Coordinates of all heavy atoms in Angstrom, one line a residue:
M1 N 0.9 -1.2 -0.1 CA 0.0 0.1 0.0 C 0.9 1.3 0.0 O 0.4 2.2 -0.5 CB -1.0 -0.2 1.2 CG -2.0 -0.9 1.0 SD -3.0 -0.7 -0.4 CE -4.2 0.6 0.2
D2 N 2.0 1.1 0.8 CA 2.8 2.4 0.8 C 3.4 2.7 -0.6 O 3.5 3.9 -1.0 CB 4.0 2.2 1.8 CG 3.5 2.4 3.1 OD1 2.4 3.0 3.5 OD2 4.2 2.0 4.2
L3 N 3.8 1.6 -1.3 CA 4.4 1.8 -2.6 C 3.3 2.4 -3.6 O 3.7 3.5 -4.3 CB 4.9 0.5 -3.2 CG 5.4 0.7 -4.6 CD1 6.8 1.1 -4.6 CD2 5.3 -0.6 -5.3
I4 N 2.1 2.0 -3.6 CA 1.0 2.6 -4.4 C 0.8 4.0 -3.9 O 0.6 4.9 -4.8 CB -0.2 1.7 -4.3 CG1 0.1 0.3 -4.9 CG2 -1.3 2.4 -5.0 CD1 -0.9 -0.7 -4.7
K5 N 0.6 4.3 -2.7 CA 0.4 5.5 -2.3 C 1.4 6.6 -2.7 O 1.2 7.7 -3.1 CB 0.3 5.6 -0.7 CG -0.1 7.0 -0.2 CD -0.1 7.0 1.4 CE 1.2 6.7 1.9 NZ 1.5 6.9 3.3
T6 N 2.7 6.1 -2.5 CA 3.8 7.0 -2.7 C 3.9 7.3 -4.2 O 4.2 8.4 -4.7 CB 5.2 6.3 -2.4 OG1 5.1 6.1 -1.0 CG2 6.3 7.2 -2.7
R7 N 3.7 6.4 -5.1 CA 3.7 6.5 -6.7 C 2.5 7.4 -7.0 O 2.7 8.3 -8.0 CB 3.7 5.1 -7.2 CG 5.1 4.4 -7.2 CD 5.1 3.2 -8.0 NE 6.4 2.5 -7.8 CZ 6.9 1.6 -8.4 NH1 6.1 1.1 -9.5 NH2 7.9 1.1 -8.3
L8 N 1.5 7.2 -6.4 CA 0.2 8.1 -6.8 C 0.5 9.6 -6.5 O 0.3 10.5 -7.2 CB -1.0 7.5 -6.2 CG -1.6 6.4 -6.9 CD1 -2.8 5.9 -6.0 CD2 -1.9 6.6 -8.3
M9 N 1.2 9.7 -5.3 CA 1.5 11.1 -4.9 C 2.6 11.7 -5.8 O 2.6 12.9 -6.0 CB 1.8 11.1 -3.4 CG 0.7 10.9 -2.5 SD 0.9 11.2 -0.8 CE 2.5 10.5 -0.4
N10 N 3.6 11.0 -6.1 CA 4.8 11.6 -6.9 C 4.4 11.7 -8.3 O 5.1 12.5 -8.9 CB 6.0 10.5 -6.8 CG 6.6 10.5 -5.4 OD1 6.4 11.4 -4.6 ND2 7.3 9.5 -5.0
T11 N 3.4 11.1 -8.9 CA 3.1 11.2 -10.2 C 1.8 12.1 -10.3 O 1.1 12.0 -11.3 CB 2.9 9.9 -11.0 OG1 1.9 9.1 -10.3 CG2 4.2 9.2 -11.0
K12 N 1.5 12.8 -9.3 CA 0.1 13.5 -9.3 C 0.1 14.6 -10.6 O 1.1 15.3 -10.6 CB -0.1 14.3 -7.9 CG -1.4 14.9 -7.8 CD -1.5 15.5 -6.5 CE -2.7 16.0 -6.2 NZ -2.9 16.6 -4.8
G13 N -0.8 14.6 -11.4 CA -1.0 15.5 -12.5 C -0.3 14.9 -13.6 O -0.4 15.6 -14.8
E14 N 0.5 13.9 -13.6 CA 1.2 13.5 -14.9 C 0.4 12.5 -15.7 O 0.7 12.2 -16.9 CB 2.5 12.7 -14.4 CG 3.5 13.9 -13.7 CD 4.8 13.2 -13.4 OE1 5.1 12.1 -14.0 OE2 5.4 13.8 -12.6
G15 N -0.7 11.9 -15.1 CA -1.5 11.0 -15.9 C -1.0 9.7 -16.1 O -1.4 8.9 -17.0
I16 N 0.0 9.2 -15.3 CA 0.6 7.9 -15.5 C -0.3 6.9 -15.0 O -0.5 5.7 -15.6 CB 2.0 7.8 -14.8 CG1 3.0 8.8 -15.4 CG2 2.5 6.3 -14.7 CD1 4.3 8.9 -14.7
Y17 N -1.0 7.0 -13.9 CA -1.8 6.1 -13.3 C -3.2 6.7 -13.2 O -3.4 7.9 -12.8 CB -1.4 5.7 -11.9 CG -0.1 5.2 -12.0 CD1 1.0 5.8 -11.2 CD2 0.2 3.9 -12.5 CE1 2.2 5.3 -11.1 CE2 1.6 3.3 -12.4 CZ 2.7 4.1 -11.7 OH 3.8 3.6 -11.7
S18 N -4.3 6.0 -13.4 CA -5.6 6.4 -13.3 C -6.2 6.3 -11.9 O -7.3 6.9 -11.7 CB -6.5 5.8 -14.4 OG -6.6 4.4 -14.2
G19 N -5.6 5.6 -11.1 CA -5.9 5.3 -9.8 C -5.4 4.3 -9.0 O -4.2 3.7 -9.7
P20 N -5.5 3.9 -7.8 CA -4.8 2.9 -7.1 C -4.7 1.5 -7.7 O -3.6 0.9 -7.8 CB -5.5 2.9 -5.8 CG -6.2 4.1 -5.7 CD -6.6 4.6 -7.1
L21 N -5.8 1.1 -8.2 CA -6.0 -0.2 -8.8 C -5.1 -0.2 -10.1 O -4.4 -1.2 -10.4 CB -7.5 -0.6 -9.2 CG -7.6 -2.1 -9.8 CD1 -7.1 -3.1 -8.6 CD2 -9.0 -2.1 -10.1
D22 N -5.2 0.8 -10.9 CA -4.3 0.9 -12.2 C -2.7 0.9 -11.8 O -2.0 0.2 -12.4 CB -4.6 2.2 -12.9 CG -3.8 2.3 -14.2 OD1 -3.8 1.3 -14.9 OD2 -3.2 3.4 -14.5
C23 N -2.4 1.7 -10.7 CA -1.0 1.6 -10.3 C -0.6 0.2 -9.8 O 0.5 -0.2 -10.1 CB -1.0 2.6 -9.1 SG 0.8 2.7 -8.4
F24 N -1.4 -0.5 -9.2 CA -1.2 -1.8 -8.5 C -1.0 -2.8 -9.9 O 0.1 -3.5 -9.9 CB -2.3 -2.3 -7.8 CG -2.1 -3.9 -7.2 CD1 -1.2 -4.1 -6.2 CD2 -2.7 -4.8 -8.0 CE1 -1.0 -5.4 -5.8 CE2 -2.7 -6.1 -7.6 CZ -1.8 -6.4 -6.5
V25 N -1.9 -2.7 -10.8 CA -1.8 -3.7 -11.9 C -0.5 -3.4 -12.8 O 0.2 -4.1 -13.2 CB -2.9 -3.5 -12.8 CG1 -2.8 -4.3 -14.1 CG2 -4.2 -4.1 -12.0
K26 N -0.2 -2.1 -12.9 CA 1.0 -1.7 -13.8 C 2.3 -2.0 -13.1 O 3.3 -2.5 -13.8 CB 1.0 -0.1 -14.1 CG -0.1 0.2 -15.3 CD 0.0 1.6 -15.4 CE -1.0 2.0 -16.6 NZ -1.0 3.5 -17.0
T27 N 2.3 -1.9 -11.8 CA 3.6 -2.2 -11.1 C 3.7 -3.6 -11.1 O 4.9 -4.1 -11.3 CB 3.3 -1.6 -9.7 OG1 3.2 -0.3 -9.7 CG2 4.6 -2.0 -8.8
L28 N 2.7 -4.5 -11.0 CA 2.8 -5.9 -10.9 C 3.3 -6.4 -12.3 O 4.1 -7.3 -12.3 CB 1.4 -6.6 -10.6 CG 1.4 -8.0 -10.3 CD1 2.3 -8.3 -9.2 CD2 -0.1 -8.5 -10.0
K29 N 2.6 -5.9 -13.3 CA 3.1 -6.2 -14.7 C 4.6 -5.9 -15.0 O 5.3 -6.8 -15.6 CB 2.2 -5.6 -15.7 CG 0.9 -6.3 -15.9 CD 0.1 -5.6 -17.1 CE -1.3 -6.2 -17.3 NZ -1.9 -5.5 -18.2
N30 N 4.9 -4.7 -14.7 CA 6.3 -4.2 -15.1 C 7.3 -4.6 -14.2 O 8.5 -4.8 -14.7 CB 6.2 -2.6 -15.2 CG 5.2 -2.2 -16.3 OD1 5.0 -2.9 -17.3 ND2 4.6 -1.0 -16.1
E31 N 7.1 -4.8 -12.9 CA 8.2 -4.9 -12.0 C 8.1 -6.2 -11.1 O 9.1 -6.6 -10.5 CB 8.2 -3.8 -11.0 CG 8.6 -2.4 -11.5 CD 8.6 -1.2 -10.6 OE1 9.2 -1.5 -9.6 OE2 7.9 -0.2 -10.9
G32 N 7.0 -6.9 -11.2 CA 6.8 -8.1 -10.5 C 6.2 -7.9 -9.0 O 6.1 -6.9 -8.6
L33 N 6.1 -9.0 -8.4 CA 5.4 -9.0 -7.1 C 6.5 -8.4 -6.0 O 6.1 -7.8 -5.1 CB 5.1 -10.4 -6.6 CG 4.4 -10.6 -5.3 CD1 3.0 -9.7 -5.4 CD2 4.2 -12.0 -5.0
M34 N 7.8 -8.6 -6.3 CA 8.9 -8.0 -5.3 C 8.9 -6.7 -5.2 O 9.4 -6.0 -4.3 CB 10.2 -8.8 -5.6 CG 10.2 -10.3 -5.4 SD 9.7 -10.7 -3.8 CE 10.9 -10.0 -2.7
A35 N 8.3 -5.9 -6.2 CA 8.3 -4.5 -6.2 C 7.6 -3.9 -5.0 O 7.9 -2.8 -4.5 CB 7.7 -3.9 -7.5
F36 N 6.7 -4.7 -4.5 CA 5.8 -4.2 -3.4 C 6.6 -4.4 -2.0 O 6.0 -3.9 -1.1 CB 4.5 -4.9 -3.4 CG 3.6 -4.7 -4.6 CD1 3.5 -5.6 -5.6 CD2 2.9 -3.5 -4.7 CE1 2.8 -5.3 -6.6 CE2 2.1 -3.2 -5.8 CZ 2.1 -4.2 -6.7
Y37 N 7.7 -5.0 -2.1 CA 8.4 -5.1 -0.9 C 9.7 -4.3 -0.8 O 10.6 -4.6 0.1 CB 8.9 -6.7 -0.8 CG 7.5 -7.6 -0.4 CD1 7.0 -8.3 -1.5 CD2 7.1 -7.6 0.8 CE1 5.8 -9.0 -1.2 CE2 5.9 -8.4 1.2 CZ 5.4 -9.1 0.1 OH 4.3 -9.8 0.4
K38 N 9.8 -3.4 -1.8 CA 11.1 -2.6 -1.7 C 11.0 -1.7 -0.5 O 10.0 -1.1 -0.2 CB 11.0 -1.6 -3.0 CG 11.3 -2.3 -4.2 CD 11.2 -1.3 -5.4 CE 11.6 -2.0 -6.7 NZ 11.4 -1.1 -7.9
G39 N 12.1 -1.6 0.3 CA 12.1 -0.8 1.4 C 11.4 -1.5 2.7 O 11.4 -0.8 3.7
Y40 N 11.0 -2.7 2.6 CA 10.3 -3.3 3.7 C 11.3 -3.5 4.9 O 10.9 -3.3 6.0 CB 9.6 -4.5 3.2 CG 9.0 -5.3 4.4 CD1 7.8 -4.8 4.9 CD2 9.6 -6.4 5.0 CE1 7.1 -5.6 5.9 CE2 9.0 -7.1 6.0 CZ 7.8 -6.8 6.5 OH 7.2 -7.4 7.5
L41 N 12.5 -4.0 4.6 CA 13.5 -4.3 5.6 C 13.9 -3.0 6.4 O 13.9 -3.1 7.6 CB 14.6 -5.0 5.0 CG 15.7 -5.5 6.0 CD1 15.2 -6.5 6.9 CD2 17.0 -6.0 5.3
V42 N 14.1 -2.0 5.7 CA 14.5 -0.8 6.3 C 13.3 -0.2 7.2 O 13.6 0.3 8.4 CB 14.9 0.3 5.2 CG1 15.2 1.7 5.9 CG2 16.1 -0.2 4.5
A43 N 12.2 -0.1 6.6 CA 11.0 0.4 7.4 C 10.7 -0.6 8.6 O 10.3 0.0 9.7 CB 9.8 0.4 6.6
S44 N 10.9 -1.9 8.5 CA 10.6 -2.7 9.7 C 11.7 -2.6 10.7 O 11.4 -2.6 11.8 CB 10.6 -4.2 9.2 OG 9.4 -4.4 8.3
T45 N 12.9 -2.5 10.4 CA 13.9 -2.4 11.2 C 13.8 -1.0 12.1 O 14.0 -1.0 13.2 CB 15.4 -2.3 10.5 OG1 15.5 -3.4 9.7 CG2 16.5 -2.2 11.4
R46 N 13.4 0.1 11.3 CA 13.2 1.4 12.0 C 12.0 1.2 13.0 O 12.2 1.7 14.1 CB 12.9 2.4 10.9 CG 12.7 3.9 11.6 CD 12.3 4.8 10.5 NE 11.1 4.5 9.8 CZ 11.0 4.6 8.5 NH1 11.9 5.0 7.7 NH2 9.8 4.3 7.9
T47 N 11.0 0.6 12.7 CA 9.9 0.4 13.6 C 10.2 -0.5 14.7 O 9.9 -0.1 15.9 CB 8.7 -0.2 12.7 OG1 8.3 0.6 11.6 CG2 7.5 -0.4 13.6
V48 N 11.0 -1.6 14.5 CA 11.2 -2.4 15.5 C 12.2 -1.7 16.6 O 12.0 -1.8 17.8 CB 11.9 -3.7 15.1 CG1 12.6 -4.5 16.2 CG2 10.9 -4.6 14.4
C49 N 13.3 -1.0 16.1 CA 14.1 -0.2 17.0 C 13.3 0.8 17.8 O 13.6 1.0 18.9 CB 15.2 0.5 16.2 SG 16.4 -0.8 15.5
W50 N 12.4 1.4 17.1 CA 11.6 2.6 17.8 C 10.8 2.0 18.9 O 10.8 2.5 20.0 CB 10.8 3.3 16.8 CG 9.7 4.0 17.5 CD1 8.3 3.9 17.6 CD2 10.0 5.1 18.4 NE1 7.8 4.7 18.4 CE2 8.5 5.5 19.0 CE3 11.0 5.8 19.0 CZ2 8.4 6.4 20.0 CZ3 10.8 6.8 19.9 CH2 9.5 7.1 20.4
N51 N 10.1 0.9 18.7 CA 9.4 0.2 19.6 C 10.1 -0.4 20.8 O 9.7 -0.2 22.0 CB 8.5 -0.8 19.0 CG 7.4 -0.4 18.2 OD1 6.8 0.7 18.4 ND2 7.0 -1.1 17.2
M52 N 11.3 -0.9 20.5 CA 12.1 -1.2 21.6 C 12.6 -0.2 22.5 O 12.4 -0.2 23.8 CB 13.4 -1.9 21.0 CG 13.3 -3.3 20.5 SD 14.6 -4.0 19.7 CE 16.0 -3.3 20.4
I53 N 13.0 0.9 21.9 CA 13.4 2.2 22.7 C 12.2 2.7 23.6 O 12.3 3.1 24.6 CB 14.0 3.3 21.8 CG1 15.4 2.8 21.3 CG2 14.1 4.6 22.5 CD1 15.8 3.6 20.2
F54 N 11.1 2.8 22.8 CA 9.8 3.3 23.5 C 9.5 2.6 24.8 O 9.2 3.0 25.7 CB 8.6 3.4 22.4 CG 7.4 3.8 23.0 CD1 7.2 5.2 23.2 CD2 6.5 3.0 23.5 CE1 6.0 5.7 23.7 CE2 5.2 3.4 23.9 CZ 5.0 4.7 24.0
F55 N 9.3 1.2 24.5 CA 8.8 0.3 25.6 C 9.9 0.2 26.8 O 9.5 0.2 27.9 CB 8.4 -1.0 25.2 CG 7.1 -1.0 24.5 CD1 7.1 -1.2 23.1 CD2 5.9 -0.6 25.1 CE1 5.9 -1.1 22.5 CE2 4.7 -0.5 24.4 CZ 4.7 -0.9 23.1
I56 N 11.2 0.2 26.4 CA 12.2 0.1 27.5 C 12.1 1.4 28.5 O 12.2 1.4 29.4 CB 13.6 0.0 26.8 CG1 13.7 -1.5 26.3 CG2 14.7 0.2 27.7 CD1 14.9 -1.8 25.5
M57 N 12.1 2.6 27.6 CA 12.0 3.9 28.4 C 10.7 4.0 29.2 O 10.8 4.3 30.4 CB 12.0 5.0 27.3 CG 13.3 5.3 26.8 SD 13.4 7.0 26.1 CE 13.1 8.0 27.6
N58 N 9.6 3.5 28.7 CA 8.4 3.5 29.4 C 8.4 2.6 30.6 O 8.1 3.1 31.8 CB 7.1 3.0 28.6 CG 5.8 3.4 29.1 OD1 5.7 4.3 30.0 ND2 4.9 2.6 28.7
E59 N 9.0 1.4 30.5 CA 9.2 0.6 31.7 C 10.1 1.1 32.6 O 9.9 1.0 33.9 CB 9.6 -0.9 31.2 CG 8.5 -1.7 30.4 CD 7.2 -1.9 31.4 OE1 7.4 -2.2 32.5 OE2 6.1 -1.6 30.8
E60 N 11.2 1.7 32.2 CA 12.3 2.2 33.1 C 11.8 3.3 33.9 O 11.9 3.4 35.1 CB 13.5 2.6 32.4 CG 14.5 1.4 31.9 CD 14.9 0.7 33.2 OE1 15.4 1.4 34.0 OE2 14.9 -0.5 33.1
M61 N 11.1 4.1 33.2 CA 10.4 5.4 34.0 C 9.4 5.0 35.0 O 9.2 5.6 36.0 CB 10.0 6.4 33.0 CG 11.2 6.9 32.1 SD 10.8 8.4 31.2 CE 11.3 9.7 32.4
N62 N 8.5 4.0 34.5 CA 7.4 3.6 35.5 C 7.9 2.8 36.4 O 7.3 2.6 37.6 CB 6.3 2.9 34.6 CG 5.5 3.7 33.8 OD1 5.2 4.9 34.2 ND2 4.9 3.3 32.7
G63 N 9.1 2.1 36.4 CA 9.7 1.3 37.4 C 10.1 2.1 38.7 O 10.3 1.5 39.5
H64 N 10.2 3.4 38.4 CA 10.8 4.3 39.5 C 9.5 4.6 40.3 O 9.7 5.3 41.4 CB 11.4 5.6 39.0 CG 12.6 5.3 38.3 ND1 13.7 4.9 38.9 CD2 12.9 5.3 37.0 CE1 14.7 4.7 38.2 NE2 14.3 5.0 36.9
L65 N 8.4 4.2 40.1 CA 7.2 4.6 40.9 C 6.9 3.4 41.8 O 6.7 2.3 41.4 CB 5.9 4.8 40.0 CG 6.0 5.8 38.9 CD1 4.8 5.8 38.1 CD2 6.2 7.2 39.6
D66 N 6.9 3.7 43.1 CA 6.6 2.7 44.1 C 5.1 2.7 44.4 O 4.4 3.7 44.2 CB 7.2 3.1 45.4 CG 8.7 3.1 45.3 OD1 9.2 2.5 44.5 OD2 9.4 3.8 46.1
T67 N 4.6 1.5 44.9 CA 3.1 1.4 45.1 C 2.8 2.3 46.3 O 1.6 2.9 46.4 CB 2.7 0.0 45.4 OG1 3.6 -0.7 46.4 CG2 2.9 -0.9 44.2
E68 N 3.6 2.4 47.2 CA 3.3 3.4 48.4 C 3.4 4.8 48.0 O 2.8 5.7 48.6 CB 4.3 3.0 49.7 CG 4.1 1.7 50.2 CD 5.0 1.4 51.3 OE1 5.7 2.3 51.9 OE2 5.3 0.2 51.7
Y69 N 4.2 5.1 47.0 CA 4.4 6.3 46.7 C 3.2 7.0 45.9 O 3.0 8.1 45.8 CB 5.7 6.5 45.8 CG 6.2 7.8 45.5 CD1 6.7 8.5 46.7 CD2 6.3 8.3 44.2 CE1 7.2 9.8 46.4 CE2 6.8 9.6 44.0 CZ 7.3 10.4 45.1 OH 7.8 11.5 44.9
I70 N 2.4 6.1 45.4 CA 1.3 6.4 44.6 C 0.2 7.3 45.3 O -0.4 8.2 44.8 CB 0.5 5.2 43.9 CG1 1.5 4.6 43.0 CG2 -0.7 5.6 43.4 CD1 0.9 3.2 42.5
K71 N 0.3 7.2 46.7 CA -0.7 7.8 47.5 C -0.2 9.2 47.8 O -1.1 10.0 48.3 CB -0.8 7.0 48.8 CG -1.5 5.7 48.7 CD -1.4 4.9 49.9 CE -2.0 3.5 49.6 NZ -1.8 2.6 50.7
T72 N 1.0 9.6 47.5 CA 1.3 11.0 47.8 C 1.1 12.0 46.7 O 0.9 11.5 45.5 CB 3.0 11.0 48.1 OG1 3.6 10.6 46.8 CG2 3.3 10.0 49.2
A73 N 1.2 13.2 47.0 CA 1.0 14.3 45.9 C 2.1 14.3 44.8 O 1.9 14.6 43.7 CB 0.9 15.6 46.6
E74 N 3.3 13.9 45.3 CA 4.5 13.8 44.3 C 4.2 12.9 43.1 O 4.7 13.0 42.1 CB 5.7 13.6 45.0 CG 6.2 14.6 46.0 CD 7.4 14.3 46.7 OE1 8.3 13.8 46.0 OE2 7.5 14.5 47.8
F75 N 3.4 11.9 43.5 CA 3.1 10.9 42.4 C 2.5 11.4 41.2 O 3.0 11.1 40.0 CB 2.1 9.8 42.9 CG 1.6 8.9 41.9 CD1 2.4 7.9 41.3 CD2 0.2 9.1 41.4 CE1 1.9 7.1 40.3 CE2 -0.2 8.2 40.4 CZ 0.7 7.2 39.8
N76 N 1.6 12.5 41.3 CA 1.1 13.0 40.1 C 2.1 13.8 39.3 O 2.0 13.8 38.1 CB -0.1 14.1 40.6 CG -1.3 13.4 41.1 OD1 -1.5 12.2 40.8 ND2 -1.8 14.0 42.1
V77 N 3.0 14.4 40.0 CA 4.1 15.1 39.3 C 5.0 14.0 38.4 O 5.3 14.4 37.3 CB 5.0 15.9 40.2 CG1 6.2 16.6 39.4 CG2 4.2 17.0 40.9
K78 N 5.3 12.9 39.1 CA 6.1 11.9 38.3 C 5.4 11.3 37.2 O 5.9 11.1 36.1 CB 6.4 10.8 39.4 CG 7.8 10.9 40.1 CD 8.2 9.7 40.7 CE 9.6 9.7 41.1 NZ 10.1 8.5 41.6
V79 N 4.1 11.1 37.4 CA 3.2 10.6 36.2 C 3.2 11.5 35.1 O 3.3 11.3 33.9 CB 1.9 10.3 36.5 CG1 0.9 10.0 35.5 CG2 1.8 9.0 37.6
L80 N 3.1 12.9 35.4 CA 3.3 13.9 34.3 C 4.6 13.9 33.8 O 4.7 14.0 32.4 CB 2.9 15.3 35.0 CG 1.4 15.5 35.4 CD1 1.3 16.8 35.9 CD2 0.6 15.6 34.0
V81 N 5.6 13.8 34.3 CA 7.0 13.7 33.9 C 7.2 12.6 33.0 O 7.7 12.8 31.9 CB 8.1 13.9 35.0 CG1 9.4 13.7 34.4 CG2 7.9 15.3 35.7
V82 N 6.8 11.4 33.4 CA 7.0 10.2 32.7 C 6.1 10.3 31.4 O 6.7 10.0 30.4 CB 6.5 8.9 33.4 CG1 6.4 7.7 32.6 CG2 7.5 8.6 34.6
G83 N 4.9 10.8 31.5 CA 4.1 11.0 30.3 C 4.7 11.9 29.3 O 4.6 11.8 28.1
F84 N 5.3 13.0 29.9 CA 5.8 14.1 29.0 C 7.0 13.4 28.2 O 7.1 13.6 27.0 CB 6.4 15.2 29.9 CG 7.2 16.2 29.1 CD1 6.5 17.2 28.2 CD2 8.6 16.2 29.2 CE1 7.3 18.0 27.5 CE2 9.3 17.1 28.5 CZ 8.7 17.9 27.6
F85 N 7.9 12.8 28.9 CA 9.1 12.2 28.1 C 8.7 11.1 27.2 O 9.2 11.1 26.1 CB 10.1 11.7 29.1 CG 11.0 12.8 29.6 CD1 10.8 13.1 31.0 CD2 11.8 13.6 28.9 CE1 11.5 14.2 31.6 CE2 12.5 14.6 29.5 CZ 12.3 15.0 30.8
V86 N 7.9 10.3 27.5 CA 7.3 9.3 26.7 C 6.6 9.9 25.5 O 6.9 9.6 24.2 CB 6.5 8.2 27.3 CG1 5.9 7.4 26.2 CG2 7.3 7.4 28.3
G87 N 5.9 10.8 25.6 CA 5.1 11.6 24.6 C 6.2 12.4 23.8 O 6.0 12.4 22.4
L88 N 7.1 12.9 24.4 CA 8.2 13.7 23.5 C 8.8 12.8 22.6 O 9.0 13.1 21.4 CB 9.1 14.4 24.5 CG 10.2 15.2 23.9 CD1 9.6 16.5 23.3 CD2 11.2 15.6 24.9
F89 N 9.3 11.6 23.1 CA 10.0 10.7 22.2 C 9.0 10.2 21.0 O 9.5 10.0 19.9 CB 10.6 9.6 22.9 CG 11.9 9.9 23.7 CD1 11.9 10.1 25.1 CD2 13.0 10.2 22.9 CE1 12.9 10.4 25.7 CE2 14.1 10.5 23.7 CZ 14.2 10.6 25.0
F90 N 7.8 10.0 21.4 CA 6.8 9.5 20.4 C 6.7 10.7 19.2 O 6.7 10.4 18.0 CB 5.5 9.3 21.0 CG 4.5 8.8 20.0 CD1 4.6 7.5 19.5 CD2 3.4 9.5 19.7 CE1 3.6 7.0 18.5 CE2 2.4 9.1 18.8 CZ 2.6 7.9 18.2
L91 N 6.6 11.9 19.8 CA 6.6 13.1 18.8 C 7.7 13.1 18.0 O 7.6 13.3 16.7 CB 6.3 14.4 19.6 CG 6.3 15.6 18.7 CD1 4.9 15.6 18.0 CD2 6.2 16.8 19.6
V92 N 8.9 13.0 18.5 CA 10.1 13.1 17.7 C 10.1 12.0 16.6 O 10.6 12.2 15.5 CB 11.4 13.0 18.6 CG1 12.7 12.7 17.8 CG2 11.5 14.2 19.6
R93 N 9.6 10.8 16.9 CA 9.6 9.7 15.9 C 8.6 10.2 14.8 O 8.8 9.9 13.7 CB 9.2 8.4 16.5 CG 9.2 7.3 15.6 CD 8.3 6.2 15.9 NE 8.2 5.2 14.9 CZ 7.2 4.9 14.2 NH1 6.1 5.5 14.3 NH2 7.3 3.9 13.3
K94 N 7.5 10.7 15.2 CA 6.5 11.1 14.1 C 7.0 12.2 13.2 O 6.7 12.1 12.1 CB 5.2 11.7 14.9 CG 4.4 10.5 15.4 CD 3.7 9.9 14.2 CE 2.6 8.9 15.0 NZ 1.9 8.2 13.9
V95 N 7.9 13.1 13.8 CA 8.4 14.3 13.0 C 9.3 13.7 11.9 O 9.4 14.2 10.8 CB 9.0 15.3 13.8 CG1 9.7 16.3 13.0 CG2 7.9 15.9 14.7
R96 N 10.1 12.7 12.3 CA 11.1 12.1 11.3 C 10.4 11.3 10.3 O 10.4 11.2 9.4 CB 12.1 11.3 12.1 CG 13.0 12.0 12.9 CD 14.0 11.2 13.5 NE 15.0 12.0 14.3 CZ 16.1 11.6 14.7 NH1 16.5 10.4 14.6 NH2 16.9 12.5 15.4

C-alpha cells in the first residue's frame, strides 16, 4: 500500500496512473511482485528499533514509581513527567 500511495503522490498530475488499482496492476506487470516489498526491511527495522526504545523507556520510567508512593501528591508530578518524556519521544519519531 505504501508503494502505491507514494507512486500516486509522486506522479500527481502526470496521468501515468488512473487510480490505485491501475497503479497496482501496472507495477505488478512491469516490476513483478517483489516491487511491493522494496524498502520493507528498512521500514521494519526502523519500527522495531523505535518500539524497543519506546517500551524500554516507558518501563524504566514507570519502574521508579513505588506502590506506596502512589498515595502521595508527588506521584502526580512523576506521572506527568513520565508521560511528557514518553510523549516527547513519540513526537520526535512522528516528525522524522
Side-chain angles (χ1 to χ4, degrees):
M1 285 306 277
D2 283 342
L3 177 83
I4 294 171
K5 178 184 73 168
T6 302
R7 288 191 179 185
L8 287 173
M9 288 190 315
N10 287 339
T11 60
K12 191 175 184 180
E14 295 179 19
I16 296 174
Y17 305 112
S18 62
L21 186 59
D22 182 47
C23 180
F24 176 81
V25 171
K26 285 183 180 177
T27 303
L28 188 60
K29 278 184 184 178
N30 296 332
E31 300 176 45
L33 186 62
M34 292 308 291
F36 296 102
Y37 292 98
K38 288 180 183 175
Y40 177 76
L41 183 63
V42 174
S44 297
T45 303
R46 183 179 61 220
T47 302
V48 166
C49 290
W50 162 247
N51 285 329
M52 285 175 24
I53 292 169
F54 178 82
F55 286 114
I56 288 171
M57 284 196 61
N58 191 23
E59 289 299 318
E60 283 297 316
M61 297 194 88
N62 281 331
H64 294 289
L65 299 174
D66 300 333
T67 54
E68 293 177 18
Y69 196 64
I70 291 174
K71 299 174 184 173
T72 65
E74 292 178 41
F75 169 73
N76 292 329
V77 174
K78 268 197 167 183
V79 169
L80 288 174
V81 170
V82 168
F84 171 77
F85 282 111
V86 171
L88 182 65
F89 284 106
F90 183 71
L91 179 65
V92 168
R93 183 206 180 242
K94 284 286 191 184
V95 170
R96 288 186 175 189

